Amino acid sequence: MPISYTGWGALEQLTSEAERLNASNILIVTDPFLVELGMTDKIVEPLEAKGWQTSIYTEVVPEPPLEIGEKLVAYTKENRFDLVIGLGGGSALDLAKLAGVLATHEGKVADYLNLTGERELVDKGIPKILIPTTSGTGSEVTNIAVLSLESTKDVVTHDYLLPDVAIVDPELTVSLPPKVTAATGIDALTHAVEAYVSKNANPVTDGLALQAIRLISGSIRTAVNDGENKEARTNMSYGSYLAGLAFFNAGVAGVHALAYPLGGQFHISHGESNAVLLPYVMGYIRPSCEKRMKDIVEAMGVNVTELDEQQASYTCVEELKKLVADVNIPVSLKGFDIGEDALDSLADDGIKQTRILARSPMPLEREDIYAIYHAAYSGEVAEKKTV
């Protein structure tokens, strides 16, 4: 696991860590919007004051396609950097991880994709420092990088993608717009929820996931509506970090598996894809994890002591759907202008995500996946009647 610095002002640790990693020629992978905001100055100025050379790479887009990853890796190889810093949301962090690892590997990024690649990573590449500016992806503590393909997504995954250092400073999230705060926040909540019901959950991941759910569900509405609220931003930052640790160890499942095709085919952000599907996937698999869903809704601050596990699990689904609506994310596929005629192609791509689906507490076949997409389209939660 990476060395981690968390909390308000954690960015102050950057130069000492770069020095420890023997940096001199540093690549900074970031979003062009962060350059416009002047946020990259907070990274570049202290590094250059040490006499180190920095290069800012801004060809970063949301849900980055494979071609973007290929171009960045080629650029990294050509310029012989000795440290990569990722600054931004999940896209920038994932691309930075790819650049750092594949800088020392032969071939292309496509050769290392989970579903279709035939090469294996053989070393950790050059050092990587990841600095998130959103409270959502958890990419700074995970070993995967996600790329968009023609109609779905795939990943490069290996422990070599873990960064050397993660710096999680909530102060960097204050300027995050409400829409992005909402989408990334629900993404983080989804990580925690799916980790808690995962077949690979254990007492360690349970503790991480439940605390993440408490922090995120209790703060996300305030963070969306009052972005300068220090307490809310800090809670979201810690919650996202804990959720990342939870799902790195326990994994995510059905929500993410179905979100990938939604993002791939319709270019909906990953956070919004997770958000619109979260109540419908959880509603469908509800009979397989009633007790755990009662724990989740209790962590969300809802009093369900008078309810049995089944009743509380229904309440959990309702509360998840309400939370998505409260942060102004559509609660049906119709809200994203997706028609019923798209459900078959979504199901065809969703069933291919076998690595993720394997962790679902309820086995999901293609007919189940179609039923979930249909529920998300209609806006009415459906469930499988038998377990």
Side-chain angles (χ1 to χ4, degrees):
M1 291 301 295
I3 295 173
S4 296
Y5 298 96
T6 60
W8 206 269
L11 187 60
E12 294 176 3
Q13 303 298 324
L14 175 61
T15 52
S16 61
E17 284 301 318
E19 189 168 23
R20 182 180 66 84
L21 295 169
N22 297 313
S24 61
N25 184 22
I26 303 169
L27 172 63
I28 300 169
V29 180
T30 192
D31 188 303
F33 179 64
L34 297 182
V35 177
E36 293 175 19
L37 285 177
M39 193 172 292
T40 49
D41 294 342
K42 298 179 180 180
I43 307 296
V44 171
E45 289 175 1
L47 295 175
E48 292 190 344
K50 288 282 189 177
W52 299 323
Q53 181 177 331
T54 63
S55 299
I56 299 176
Y57 190 94
T58 60
E59 292 191 45
V60 174
V61 297
E63 320 300 317
L66 175 61
E67 293 74 20
I68 294 286
E70 299 284 14
K71 190 173 181 180
L72 171 59
V73 168
Y75 176 82
T76 307
K77 289 179 178 179
E78 290 167 9
N79 289 276
R80 299 185 178 276
F81 297 104
D82 53 28
L83 173 66
V84 178
I85 296 175
L87 174 71
S91 296
L93 302 190
D94 281 6
L95 288 170
K97 289 194 283 190
L98 282 177
V101 173
L102 293 180
T104 60
H105 285 75
E106 295 181 354
K108 296 185 176 182
V109 178
D111 299 328
Y112 299 90
L113 290 173
N114 176 66
L115 295 178
T116 57
E118 297 181 351
R119 287 179 180 263
E120 293 186 3
L121 298 175
V122 295
D123 64 66
K124 65 181 295 186
I126 61 178
K128 302 170 286 295
I129 297 176
L130 299 186
I131 308 170
T133 61
T134 69
S135 297
T137 68
S139 181
E140 70 276 7
V141 290
T142 65
N143 65 351
I144 62 173
V146 184
L147 294 166
S148 296
L149 306 182
E150 190 171 322
S151 64
T152 186
K153 295 185 180 183
D154 201 353
V155 302
V156 178
T157 179
H158 194 285
D159 282 353
Y160 290 145
L161 270 76
L162 286 167
D164 296 84
V165 180
I167 298 176
V168 184
D169 188 338
E171 188 173 2
L172 300 178
T173 70
V174 169
S175 60
L176 204 63
K179 182 177 180 181
V180 183
T181 299
T184 55
I186 297 294
D187 185 21
L189 180 66
T190 303
H191 293 154
V193 168
E194 290 213 280
Y196 192 67
V197 301
S198 167
K199 287 173 65 176
N200 296 337
N202 61 57
V204 174
T205 62
D206 286 352
L208 294 166
L210 287 176
Q211 181 63 2
I213 292 166
R214 292 184 193 103
L215 289 168
I216 296 167
S217 63
S219 301
I220 188 170
R221 293 175 177 88
T222 302
V224 169
N225 294 316
D226 178 13
E228 295 188 1
N229 186 297
K230 183 175 179 179
E231 181 181 6
R233 288 297 193 186
T234 300
N235 286 344
M236 290 298 296
S237 186
Y238 279 125
S240 173
Y241 177 77
L242 292 171
L245 291 173
F247 95 84
F248 171 59
N249 288 281
V252 290
V255 180
H256 276 71
L258 274 63
Y260 281 177
L262 203 55
Q265 293 187 29
F266 294 98
H267 308 293
I268 301 170
S269 77
H270 178 63
E272 289 178 319
S273 297
N274 276 331
V276 71
L277 292 170
L278 178 60
Y280 303 102
V281 173
M282 297 307 297
Y284 194 83
I285 69 170
R286 185 202 58 75
S288 69
C289 50
E290 289 178 349
K291 181 183 185 305
R292 293 206 154 232
M293 289 181 70
K294 183 175 184 179
D295 296 339
I296 289 168
V297 75
E298 286 179 332
M300 293 177 71
V302 180
N303 186 353
V304 291
T305 54
E306 300 300 321
L307 303 181
D308 62 24
E309 290 175 0
Q310 183 184 61
Q311 293 169 325
S313 67
Y314 281 118
T315 301
C316 181
V317 176
E318 294 168 3
E319 289 295 325
L320 290 173
K321 189 173 183 181
K322 183 177 184 295
L323 181 56
V324 172
D326 284 350
V327 295
N328 303 312
I329 297 176
V331 291
S332 77
L333 297 183
K334 293 177 184 177
F336 291 99
D337 297 322
I338 296 173
E340 191 172 6
D341 58 349
L343 304 186
D344 270 313
S345 64
L346 288 169
D348 288 341
D349 282 341
I351 193 61
K352 295 175 184 176
Q353 297 293 333
T354 53
R355 176 184 65 90
I356 307 176
L357 289 170
R359 307 181 192 117
S360 174
M362 174 185 288
L364 296 175
E365 306 296 337
R366 187 193 180 281
E367 63 184 30
D368 301 309
I369 291 171
Y370 182 91
I372 293 169
Y373 278 128
H374 192 274
Y377 167 76
S378 69
E380 298 293 331
V381 175
E383 68 179 56
K384 190 162 186 173
K385 299 303 180 183
T386 58
V387 181

